[in-house]
Amino acid sequence: MESRGIPLEFRGDYADARKHLLTAIFFGLVLGVLMGPLQALDKARIDLYQNLPLIKSYYQGLTLHGVALALIWTSFFNVGFLTFTAVRGFGRPLQSRRLSRATLWIMWAGLALALFAILTNRATVLFTAYAPLKGHWTFYTGVALFAVVGTWLLAANVFLTYRAWKRDNPGRKTPLLAFGTLVTLTMWTLATSGVATEFVIYLIPWSLGLREGIDPLLTRSLFWLTGHPIVYWWLLPAYLSWYFMLPRQAGGKLFSESMARLALLLFIPFSLPVGVHHMYTDPGVATHSKMLHGFLTFVVFLPSLITAFTVVASLEIAGRQRGGRGWLGWIRALPWREPSVAAQLLAMVLFTVGGASGLINASYVLNLLVHNTLFVVGHFHLTVGSAVTLTFMGISYWLIPELTGRALRGRRVALAQVWLWFLGVAIMGRGMAAMGLEGVPRRTWWSQAAYQIAEAQAGGVMTAAGGALLFVSMLLFVGVVVVTMRGAEAPARQAVPVAEPLDGGMPVPVWLNRLTPWVVGTVVLTLLAWGPVVWGLLQSPFSAPGLRAW
């Protein structure tokens, strides 16, 4: 039974998912991208911050930019999207309506606390929350509520739903869409142990005056226990769409269910024990720990390579079914005029470049050439700004109609928007990489720097131009969302796209349908990789006073 195009049994979960998505768009994407042109123009040595009454400095703007896009946009979008994939994957509502409501309200409360701290310049600590930069307690509490506690509540609700589904379906393998949701939430729940410890034991008591000092290296280590896996918290929902939805949108099938399950499961153990590669230049961490994390960072590329092969194979099937011929003719045959599909295909193109640049960051030797330079920021934008954000935009173009019962309006504008975003990220990422290779540091008010690097000026112009294109693209995206929301109610024209496996859904090995062995292996591997690092820092405690620099 359906109501206004929305299945009646899912109306409560659909309403929650819709609220999460709209919060992500208007309090994450919009706020973050509003700061984007200012950040980008700064790289061309054009300072507009002095003209803004609310924002006191480049660093406050950078904090708002980073928190809004990397935490608010992604956290709320993921919770909304994973709520949807869980209920459609299991074919039943989430088990607890109370947990669903608590998830939404706790995340909204956290959002309000964090934005209060940032907008009043009480937490200009950059989104990495590095001590001894000290923020107001509302910032740490707010981030913990919406980025950690809220996601834990969703995970609890989804696993309760999983238990109920298993009780009603003994012996059946978990549906693919639901399985991918469970894997994503399992990985993230394990990964957040680091930042939860950092915030609850150290940063929040310290910001309240209950601790006199802070150990910067210990808290930084705990941060990176979560800080690298958060990349996969951003990426795995995009992968769910690439694996299980995009092939159907393109008119094809999933190439291999077993390979899809294996790739997703491998992200659980290999996402966590890699964070020390962000601390190659930090003292106090043993060289052998840096080498181990560096090696495991290269290992985590394995599931990414499996993903690339499987997704491209699935798309080739779709392209050939649409009449594509020759080695590459199938690419042209894909439905590039469909904005949701075009967004995700273009996201993959950019992610190929961004992912490859990550190999440089992961290398112990090459990292020293680009460490703390704008090259790292360029890599970050080519991954989070493309594979994640552009994919989320593409998903929104069918998910919002599905959640609202209104057909997508402004398709041509939407198509122009995704191409504009693609060009903006490509140009900006190239500009940042070039500046980084010339030695321009990251997290620096470059327009106010007392020195210049002549060779970096062209990169600065590219960065500014790319930022301007992204700003226009964001306005177009929001415009399409608003006119769609204001359109007449009618059943969404596009059905929920869930791809069928090419083999027809043959049985898979038991170990590709269970989570427990992978969780146990992850805990063991994480203790081996992170245990010596944290234990060594606990044996030589260091206490630094708090610092408010801006």
Side-chain angles (χ1 to χ4, degrees), residues 50-201:
Q50 55 187 337
N51 302 316
L52 298 180
L54 186 62
I55 305 299
K56 306 296 183 185
S57 70
Y58 163 89
Y59 299 102
Q60 187 187 3
L62 178 57
T63 301
L64 180 58
H65 177 69
V67 171
L69 288 175
L71 299 179
I72 298 172
W73 160 240
T74 54
S75 296
F76 279 92
F77 188 95
N78 281 4
V79 170
F81 182 53
L82 294 176
T83 296
F84 176 83
T85 56
V87 300
R88 297 308 299 239
F90 288 119
R92 61 198 302 157
L94 289 186
Q95 194 67 15
S96 171
R97 285 295 304 147
R98 288 185 177 180
L99 268 180
S100 294
R101 293 193 190 97
T103 302
L104 183 63
W105 282 102
I106 283 176
M107 291 184 69
W108 274 350
L111 173 65
L113 288 173
L115 286 181
F116 163 77
I118 295 171
L119 293 174
T120 57
N121 201 28
R122 287 178 167 86
T124 301
V125 295
L126 317 183
F127 83 98
T128 44
Y130 268 6
L133 288 178
K134 191 173 186 178
H136 196 260
W137 67 269
T138 52
F139 173 75
Y140 301 118
T141 306
V143 171
L145 287 177
F146 79 74
V148 179
V149 177
T151 58
W152 286 353
L153 293 179
L154 173 67
N157 209 353
V158 170
F159 274 92
L160 286 174
T161 309
Y162 177 45
R163 187 177 67 175
W165 179 88
K166 285 182 65 176
R167 187 175 58 238
D168 296 340
N169 298 272
R172 285 187 59 192
K173 66 179 179 182
T174 310
L176 274 174
L177 201 55
F179 184 76
T181 307
L182 291 168
V183 169
T184 303
L185 290 170
T186 299
M187 185 284 299
W188 180 238
T189 301
L190 292 170
T192 45
S193 59
V195 77
T197 304
E198 180 195 14
F199 276 41
V200 173
I201 296 180

Side-chain angles (χ1 to χ4, degrees), residues 3-6 11 18 400-401 403-409 483-493:
S3 174
R4 296 177 180 177
I6 298 174
R11 287 184 65 182
R18 186 169 62 244
I400 289 178
L403 294 176
T404 61
R406 292 171 165 84
L408 179 67
R409 302 176 70 190
V483 297
T484 298
M485 296 284 295
R486 292 174 63 85
E489 290 184 356
R493 286 183 291 182

Side-chain angles (χ1 to χ4, degrees), residues 523-542:
V523 172
V524 172
L525 189 57
T526 302
L527 287 175
L528 291 174
W530 276 106
V533 176
V534 175
W535 178 255
L537 294 172
L538 287 172
Q539 300 311 303
S540 54
F542 182 79

Side-chain angles (χ1 to χ4, degrees), residues 304-336:
S304 294
L305 291 175
I306 297 175
T307 298
F309 175 81
T310 309
V311 171
V312 170
S314 301
L315 291 174
E316 182 178 356
I317 293 170
R320 297 198 182 283
Q321 288 184 344
R322 297 174 65 89
R325 296 290 182 268
W327 283 61
L328 301 175
W330 60 270
I331 297 177
R332 190 176 178 181
L334 293 171
W336 287 92

Side-chain angles (χ1 to χ4, degrees), residues 329-352:
W330 60 270
I331 297 177
R332 190 176 178 181
L334 293 171
W336 287 92
R337 293 185 178 278
E338 173 59 45
S340 176
V341 175
Q344 296 179 75
L345 295 177
L346 293 173
M348 292 177 191
V349 174
L350 286 174
F351 186 55
T352 302

